[in-house]
Structure formats: structure tokens, C-alpha cells
Amino acid sequence: MTNIPTSPEERTHEQNLDLLAQVAVNVGLGLQRGQELLMTASLDALPLARRITEHAYRAGASLVTTMYSDDETTLMRYQLAPDESFDRAAGWLYDGMAAAFKSGSARLAIAGGNPMLLSHADPDKVGRANSAMSKAYRPALEYISRHDINWTIVASATPAWASAVFPNDAPDIALAKLWDAIFAASRIHTADPVSAWKQHDSILHVHAARLNEKRYSALRYRGPGTDLLLGLADDHLWLGGGTTAGNGLYCIPNIPTEEVFSMPHKDRVDGTVTATKPLSHQGTMIEGIQVRFERGRIVEARATRGQEVLQKLIDTDDGARHLGEVALVPHSSPIANSGIIFSNTLFDENAASHIAMGQSYASTVRDGEKLTPEQLAAKGANHSLIHVDWMIGSDKLDVDAITASGNEEPLMRGGEWV
Ligand code: ZN
Ligand code: ZN
């Protein structure tokens, strides 16, 4: 598509979709001429998948392969498949993905699933199916978590997701509202989205660099229902925005992204923390989460709604009771400003400061990708089949940083950078 108006108000939906695809391919992915692309998308995201495919070929992709999923057929498994089904996963498919990444393929995921899809499915079956999938996917996922390849995630509005986010609106209104929120959060409503992203990316890098210079040993969080001392991993590294993957290509792994994040020390977290937003997990809304840590371990976990799902989650394995990520997001981020609960991590985790239970990212310690699992663990890295982010930031959250010598410096006041 050519001649897209620079004034966002004059653009059609199709033109915004095209700009989002351009951002996904050229900024998010940084696709290289001759590179293959492996994409996953729901059938409801077909229009965006097509625009992305077009821009990928225009950027010189040698082959674009898309794996489509469909909510209706996913549900049929929970309704009709024999019990043994839920300990199975298409291992051959995930092996194929790992082979694609090994041979240099880039990876793009279009997010946009119905957050309530499995809300009526048996939680035990959902848990088993997820854990079988996590195991099978692990070898392929390693290429992504180690940042060996360039990858990104973008979002497409879908009717079911839109209805979950805007339940009181007619379906077409809800869909239009969700698209609008996605375009706004993804900086498509700017004169030149590609340069808007380059500018935003450099701001995130400035924040990360400042934190890295300070080499803080811990963060202290204070807010309503929160008094938490969070130790940072030895040699931890703050990251934000884009990164150069192991294959030398620069990518921004999440569109949108607002966070700077690092690695907590899995055994050095103490105190109580209260969630500031509901957590949408596998079709269940977990609300009012409050958790108490002792020496890094969750020793008490409560939720006003969805307690059973929360309990199952932290019982996944030992690492599920420890933290794997800490992220700072100013309360004034455009996603927080929208006030919308997207029930999708890609958006909600960029709306507020958050922590994640479970697996940590090797990239968040210095030279982490070159360390063995044992060396990583010695620095405080956590290991788990899960990685679940939940929001603890608000306009009432104060964060102090503690230096190696024990001094406290204010980092955030009322949810904003000091
Ligand atoms: Zn995060
Ligand atoms: Zn996370």
C-alpha cells in the first residue's frame, strides 16, 4: 500500500493495519533479506497476517510459513478428546519449529486470543495440556528466550477478545474500540510510526542504562497492601526496548513495550505484595492477589477470586513459587492511560510495574546466554515451566533502590520515574 496519510485522523482501518504490519516486520522483527519467517496466528487475525506476509516478502523474506489456530477446534478437544489427550502435545511440530529457528528463521506471533476461551474447561485438563505443551515447546522456546533469533509479538483485535474487553458494547463497536486501543498502544496513531518507535526505543534504553550504571542490590516497594524488599540477581542487567539477537539482527520483541526489566534473586525476596490489576490466566480472572514471600519463596498466596487457579499455578513446580522477572513501567504509559484491562499480557504487563512468577530470562544477567543453568542459578536465576506476569504498579506505588552500600535512593514516586 502506498500514500498513507501522515495525519492519523485521515487514515482508514486498512491503512492502520498496513502500518501495524510495517512496524511488525521492519521495527519489531528487523527481518533480513533472504530470511525465513515462521508466524503463528488465529484465523480471526487473518487480515493482519496477510498484511504482515506482504511486508515480509517486500522486505525480502525467502519464505513465510504461518500456522493458524482456531478457537472452535481448540474447544472441541476439551469437550470430546479422551482423557489421555491432555498429557499429549504435538512434539513433532515443536521439534520442527526448533529446527526452523536453528536454521535461521525469524519468529512472529500474532496475539489476540479469546482470554475467556477455556473458562468453562476442566482446570485440571487445561493444566495438564499446558504443561505437556510447555515441555514439548521448550527446545524451540530456548532459541527465543536466549535471543538467538530475531522475534516479535504484535496483536490483532478479534471478535471474542473484543467482547471480553468491552462486554457492554455491541460486537462491531467492541471490535472497533479494541482495534483503536491496539493502534494507539502500538504507536500507529502517530505521523510516522516507524520513527516514533525508534525514538521510544532509545528512551527505554536510556532508563535501562541508568539503572545498570547504579548496580543496585535491591528494590523496595511501598504501596497499599505492598511492602516488599526485592533483591536483584548478582550481575543482573536491566533491559528495555530492542535488543540485538544472537544472529546479529536488531529486534523489538514486543509491540507494544513500555517496560525496563531485570532479574530478581530467586532467594532474596521478602515481604508482602498486592496486585493492582486482575490477572487473566487460562480463561480465569484471578482478582485481588496478595502474596507473602520469605527468602524468595511464596509462603502465602491469596486471591479474592480465582484462588484455586492461583494455587494450581504456584504448585506447578518449585520455581513457580519464586520470581523470575521484575519490571518497571511508569504509570503514565499510554497503555496505563487508556485504563483498559486487555486481559492479555502483551498489553497489561506494559500498563504497570510488574513481577513474574517462574522462569527468568538468561539475558537479564551479564553474559547470561553463555552461562550454564548451574552458573545462572548461582547468580539467582529461577527455573520453572511457567512465567506469569502480574501487575503491582499504580499511581500509589513508591519504589526505592538500595545501593550496594545499603543507601536508599528514590526511583519512582506515585508510579512515576523520579
Ligand atoms: Zn515484563
Ligand atoms: Zn514477563
Side-chain angles (χ1 to χ4, degrees):
M1 212 174 283
T2 50
N3 300 325
I4 294 179
T6 49
S7 164
E9 296 78 39
E10 288 169 25
R11 289 181 197 143
T12 64
H13 174 75
E14 291 304 314
Q15 289 169 330
N16 283 324
L17 207 59
D18 201 72
L19 287 169
L20 182 58
Q22 285 183 37
V23 165
V25 171
N26 302 317
V27 179
L29 215 49
L31 193 78
Q32 194 184 38
R33 202 154 272 282
Q35 198 178 18
E36 277 194 38
L37 173 61
L38 175 58
M39 177 157 61
T40 48
S42 128
L43 281 177
D44 288 320
L46 189 58
L48 180 61
R50 283 183 174 153
R51 293 282 71 74
I52 288 174
T53 303
E54 180 192 324
H55 283 287
Y57 281 124
R58 286 191 192 283
S62 58
L63 182 64
V64 180
T65 305
T66 306
M67 302 192 301
Y68 290 100
S69 58
D70 167 53
D71 284 357
E72 295 280 315
T73 46
T74 301
L75 279 182
M76 284 172 195
R77 181 182 181 197
Y78 287 91
Q79 286 152 0
L80 301 170
D83 187 69
E84 71 199 36
S85 164
F86 301 96
D87 297 313
R88 294 185 82 105
W92 52 269
L93 179 69
Y94 296 111
D95 290 347
M97 289 174 81
F101 300 154
K102 194 180 177 193
S103 65
S105 175
R107 163 91 172 103
L108 188 147
I110 300 181
N114 175 3
M116 304 311 283
L117 183 66
L118 299 177
S119 53
H120 297 293
D122 176 353
D124 176 61
K125 287 180 177 173
V126 175
R128 282 161 58 204
N130 269 304
S131 125
M133 192 273 279
S134 298
K135 274 180 205 146
Y137 188 33
R138 190 155 197 124
L141 192 61
E142 300 252 294
Y143 286 90
I144 291 161
S145 49
R146 280 195 315 253
H147 274 295
D148 287 345
I149 57 161
N150 49 329
W151 61 276
T152 198
I153 308 176
V154 288
S156 167
T158 60
W161 182 20
S163 299
V165 178
F166 302 105
N168 301 322
D169 289 301
D172 55 330
I173 304 281
L175 190 64
K177 275 185 165 175
L178 183 56
W179 266 124
D180 200 51
I182 290 172
F183 290 143
S186 308
R187 293 183 157 72
I188 300 305
H189 288 338
T190 54
D192 180 355
V194 170
S195 40
W197 267 99
K198 295 207 162 129
Q199 195 188 350
H200 174 55
D201 187 39
S202 67
I203 292 169
L204 291 174
H205 279 271
V206 167
H207 283 300
R210 195 152 43 201
L211 290 164
N212 284 327
E213 228 167 81
K214 294 280 194 171
R215 312 296 324 146
Y216 292 121
S217 67
L219 302 181
R220 184 185 290 284
Y221 294 81
R222 288 192 187 91
T226 292
D227 188 353
L228 185 76
L229 182 66
L230 183 147
L232 294 162
D234 301 336
D235 289 333
H236 69 271
L237 207 57
W238 289 91
L239 300 176
T243 180
T244 302
N247 62 4
L249 299 175
Y250 191 83
C251 66
I252 299 183
N254 287 332
I255 303 285
T257 184
E258 302 287 339
E259 60 172 347
V260 290
F261 61 103
S262 192
M263 189 188 287
H265 192 294
K266 71 177 194 322
D267 299 321
R268 295 184 196 151
V269 183
D270 284 277
T272 301
V273 58
T274 301
T276 49
K277 285 172 192 284
L279 165 65
S280 163
H281 183 73
Q282 293 167 3
T284 309
M285 278 291 192
I286 312 177
E287 285 173 25
I289 301 178
Q290 189 173 65
V291 160
R292 192 164 65 80
F293 290 89
E294 269 178 26
R295 280 182 287 162
R297 195 164 191 275
I298 294 177
V299 291
E300 223 179 285
R302 285 185 295 170
T304 52
R305 188 180 154 196
Q307 164 100 39
E308 200 186 318
V309 183
L310 177 65
Q311 197 58 48
K312 258 202 165 63
L313 198 62
I314 63 174
D315 287 339
T316 308
D317 50 28
D318 190 56
R321 283 183 179 268
H322 295 257
L323 295 185
E325 183 197 338
V326 52
L328 297 170
V329 180
H331 186 70
S332 58
S333 90
I335 303 172
N337 260 330
S338 77
I340 298 169
I341 305 241
F342 287 85
S343 295
N344 180 303
T345 307
L346 179 62
F347 290 85
D348 292 332
E349 82 158 339
N350 284 304
S353 291
H354 56 273
I355 48 179
M357 302 177 286
Q359 181 70 23
S360 50
Y361 298 113
S363 54
T364 48
V365 290
R366 219 180 275 154
D367 293 327
E369 285 94 344
K370 293 176 197 144
L371 302 180
T372 64
E374 293 72 27
Q375 290 170 319
L376 278 170
K379 293 190 187 293
N382 191 31
H383 183 73
S384 172
L385 281 176
I386 67 159
H387 175 103
V388 177
D389 300 277
W390 51 285
M391 309 312 128
I392 62 170
S394 73
D395 59 352
K396 293 180 185 65
L397 183 73
D398 291 341
V399 185
D400 287 318
I402 300 170
T403 62
S405 53
N407 291 331
E408 295 206 8
E409 295 176 0
L411 213 55
M412 287 184 139
R413 284 292 174 267
E416 299 301 329
W417 291 111
V418 169

